[in-house]
């Protein structure tokens, strides 16, 4: 083929590929082409969530650099509902939300942020207030009318079988799709019915894969999942995550230090170390997990803020390819995760599962099967390095971004 013909041929091919890759995502998918980022009221505020709390969090997020880093949603979790009025319309608890939800959504939108809310696929939520079962269309319209942008939909007090779960989630999914406002749909049935297999078909943009996270590195108890129990449960789920739909390994415990009533199980867990929180955050970024902070943002310290707004980690999490990292190597106490990024780049996380120091020396070719030359940036220091080598403290991790090119 002559050069010009070949060029035209490849140009046509590239255009077709581009058109197909654009067409792969529906408008619904496009509400979550990358994992949603924000804050959720559950573990810290529980039934104390209020208009003032959400306004304070919005003010903090807009001013402290989190909004600029990509955090967007403020999600009001359980316990906001007052009841249903005589027209069957949901209304918020009048004492904690004195000006109503429309007012609050306007306030949050005024800060350039988005508001999320919570309900349940049964007559009552986990916290025992009114849920949306049998009122899916009415409630979706109400949420749209208030200006809600995100719905977390729980599964307490609902039948256990997967057929019913799918039907109930699809009913709310359909209602959201026709409510007249783009609303991100967060499915929360905790994993027992393998939602990664069907949640997208029910309209979900993210689906919880585990029971509630607790503020502890490892609980050694399958009923009270610590960060390591949750992390291990994500290992085979990578194929199900991608633009438009994400595995959700639950809220970020970062910065709670045992202060959340639910995540500490009323003081039973005292929280994690600063090192453990940074590994937790790095792992959730590698997993392309939704990044939902839980701590009280009014009292965030500089180090936690630096972690949560780390540009490289957020870029890894928000990478447009939308790949969830997989474990490519386990050696002694070391575990290595690899996340393909757009532009033939990779993120690598080496973490030390042991409670004592561990040295590492990871060879790109031999250990990771990566043969081309890479420029390597180490994320904590931001510096370029020539090898994936060092010593990790107990439960610490090192993260690298590998870009094709000369060292
Ligand atoms: C369930 C969910 C939590 C939280 C509570 C609220 O436990 O998994 O994330 O929403 O309900 O009651």
């Amino acid at each position: 083929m002559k050069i010009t013909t070949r060029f035209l041929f490849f140009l046509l091919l590239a255009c077709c590929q581009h058109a197909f890759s654009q067409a792969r995502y529906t408008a619904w998918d496009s509400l979550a082409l990358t994992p949603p980022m924000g804050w959720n009221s559950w573990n810290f505020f529980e039934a104390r969530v209020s208009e003032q709390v959400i306004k304070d969090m919005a003010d903090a997020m807009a001013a402290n650099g989190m909004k600029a880093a990509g955090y967007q949603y403020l999600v009001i979790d359980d316990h906001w509902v007052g009841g249903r009025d005589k027209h069957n319309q949901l209304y918020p608890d009048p004492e904690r939300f004195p000006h109503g939800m429309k007012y609050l959504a306007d306030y949050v939108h005024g800060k350039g942020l988005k508001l999320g809310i919570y309900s349940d696929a049964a007559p009552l939520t986990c916290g025992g207030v009114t849920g949306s079962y049998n009122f899916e269309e009415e409630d979706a319209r109400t949420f749209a009318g208030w200006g809600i942008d995100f719905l977390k939909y729980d599964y307490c007090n609902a039948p256990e079988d997967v057929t019913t779960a799918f039907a109930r989630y699809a009913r709310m999914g359909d209602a959201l799709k026709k409510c007249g406002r783009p609303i991100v749909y967060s499915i929360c049935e905790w994993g027992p019915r393998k939602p990664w297999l069907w949640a997208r078909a029910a309209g979900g943009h993210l689906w919880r894969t585990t029971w509630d996270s607790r503020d502890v590195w490892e609980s050694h108890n399958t009923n009270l999942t610590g960060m390591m129990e949750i992390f291990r449960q994500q290992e085979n789920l990578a194929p199900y995550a991608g633009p438009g739909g994400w595995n959700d390994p639950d809220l970020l415990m970062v910065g709670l230090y045992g202060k959340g009533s639910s995540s500490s199980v009323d003081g039973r867990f005292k929280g994690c170390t600063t090192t453990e929180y940074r590994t937790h955050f790095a792992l959730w970024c590698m997993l392309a997990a939704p990044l939902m902070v839980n701590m009280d943002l009014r009292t965030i310290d500089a180090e936690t803020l630096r972690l949560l707004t780390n540009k490289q980690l957020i870029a890894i999490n928000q990478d447009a390819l939308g790949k969830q990292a997989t474990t490519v190597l386990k050696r002694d106490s070391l575990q290595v995760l690899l996340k393909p990024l757009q532009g033939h780049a990779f993120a690598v996380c080496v973490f030390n599962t042991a409670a004592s120091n561990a040295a590492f020396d990871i060879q790109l070719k031999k250990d990771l099967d990566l043969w081309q030359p890479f420029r390597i940036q180490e994320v904590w220091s931001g510096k370029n390095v020539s090898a994936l080598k060092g010593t990790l403290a107990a439960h610490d991790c090192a993260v690298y971004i590998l870009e094709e090119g000369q060292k």
Side-chain angles (χ1 to χ4, degrees):
M1 232 189 291
K2 269 178 45 197
I3 297 272
T4 41
T5 331
R6 212 185 317 164
F7 174 72
L8 286 172
F9 175 73
F10 280 116
L11 193 66
L12 187 68
L13 199 69
C15 288
C16 290
Q17 271 176 346
H18 181 69
F20 278 123
S21 70
Q22 297 295 301
R24 263 175 51 213
Y25 305 122
T26 62
W28 188 248
D29 291 335
S30 76
L31 300 182
L33 285 182
T34 60
M37 293 172 64
W39 177 92
N40 173 298
S41 64
W42 177 242
N43 283 296
F44 192 82
F45 290 101
E46 278 196 356
R48 292 174 294 126
V49 64
S50 65
E51 174 183 299
Q52 195 54 50
V53 162
I54 298 297
K55 286 170 79 174
D56 287 351
M57 294 307 124
D59 293 350
M61 198 183 263
N64 71 9
M66 288 178 72
K67 177 186 156 194
Y71 293 88
Q72 234 188 338
Y73 296 98
L74 291 152
V75 181
I76 308 168
D77 208 285
D78 205 351
H79 295 286
W80 64 267
V81 177
R84 264 182 212 289
D85 67 14
K86 58 179 190 294
H87 307 292
N88 281 327
Q89 188 172 342
L90 280 178
Y91 59 85
D93 178 296
E95 272 178 29
R96 281 176 292 123
F97 296 90
H99 300 95
M101 287 299 178
K102 172 91 175 65
Y103 161 87
L104 192 52
D106 287 347
Y107 184 89
V108 168
H109 293 157
K111 294 270 160 187
L113 296 165
K114 294 183 171 177
L115 188 62
I117 213 160
Y118 164 100
S119 190
D120 191 293
L124 294 178
T125 70
C126 298
V129 299
T130 309
S132 290
Y133 182 58
N134 270 336
F135 293 96
E136 292 83 357
E137 292 203 1
E138 290 86 340
D139 291 357
R141 273 201 302 274
T142 300
F143 299 151
W146 287 342
I148 297 295
D149 308 289
F150 182 112
L151 172 68
K152 172 173 170 183
Y153 205 43
D154 219 336
Y155 203 66
C156 279
N157 309 307
E160 282 194 7
D161 63 288
V162 65
T163 316
T164 307
F166 177 77
R168 291 195 181 191
Y169 276 107
R171 258 165 85 163
M172 182 50 96
D174 291 346
L176 292 175
K177 281 179 183 168
K178 56 185 188 202
C179 75
R181 184 176 173 85
I183 297 182
V184 170
Y185 187 25
S186 162
I187 285 180
C188 180
E189 66 75 72
W190 324 293
R193 285 154 288 260
K194 299 187 170 46
W196 45 91
L197 299 175
W198 50 262
R200 267 188 199 245
H205 294 104
L206 56 158
W207 45 87
R208 278 275 296 278
T209 54
T210 65
W211 300 113
D212 292 10
S213 178
R214 307 298 172 175
D215 190 8
V216 60
W217 177 253
E218 192 161 9
S219 75
H220 304 287
N221 175 338
T222 42
N223 292 325
L224 295 172
T225 35
M227 278 155 9
M228 281 304 100
E229 280 92 8
I230 291 196
F231 171 70
R232 286 195 286 268
Q233 288 171 27
Q234 311 312 304
E235 293 214 17
N236 297 319
L237 302 183
Y240 305 102
W246 308 99
N247 293 312
D248 175 6
D250 204 15
L251 308 163
L252 292 167
M253 300 292 107
V254 178
L256 279 170
Y257 290 105
K259 289 200 209 94
S261 30
S262 175
S263 48
S264 72
V265 194
D266 298 320
R268 176 166 161 187
F269 296 128
K270 306 292 177 218
C272 300
T273 64
T274 306
T275 302
E276 290 168 341
Y277 284 136
R278 88 168 181 169
T279 297
H280 167 42
F281 187 65
L283 291 175
W284 265 232
C285 287
M286 293 291 292
L287 291 173
L291 299 179
M292 291 289 179
V293 179
N294 244 223
M295 66 169 299
D296 184 351
L297 300 180
R298 294 172 299 200
T299 56
I300 194 164
D301 60 84
E303 192 171 355
T304 306
L305 192 56
R306 231 186 350 266
L307 174 68
L308 291 174
T309 56
N310 182 295
K311 272 202 170 67
Q312 286 92 340
L313 285 180
I314 289 179
I316 291 170
N317 176 264
Q318 295 288 301
D319 182 76
L321 265 192
K323 296 276 187 205
Q324 175 171 325
T326 52
T327 296
V328 288
L329 182 70
K330 283 185 185 173
R331 184 191 289 157
D332 304 324
S333 70
L334 296 174
Q335 186 160 349
V336 181
L337 285 96
L338 185 73
K339 184 186 196 291
L341 305 175
Q342 63 180 347
H344 308 291
F346 295 90
V348 177
C349 174
V350 185
F351 94 97
N352 176 16
T353 57
S356 52
N357 286 2
F360 67 96
D361 183 357
I362 307 294
Q363 304 290 320
L364 292 191
K365 290 182 188 140
K366 191 158 75 62
D367 295 324
L368 305 183
D369 202 20
L370 295 175
W371 290 77
Q372 56 276 58
F374 283 105
R375 266 191 317 276
I376 307 174
Q377 189 190 35
E378 197 277 319
V379 161
W380 302 132
S381 66
K383 295 211 172 101
N384 287 344
V385 295
S386 55
L388 276 54
K389 199 175 166 175
T391 300
L392 292 171
H395 301 166
D396 201 2
C397 72
V399 184
Y400 300 91
I401 295 177
L402 277 52
E403 286 174 307
E404 259 186 340
Q406 295 306 318
K407 288 179 183 167

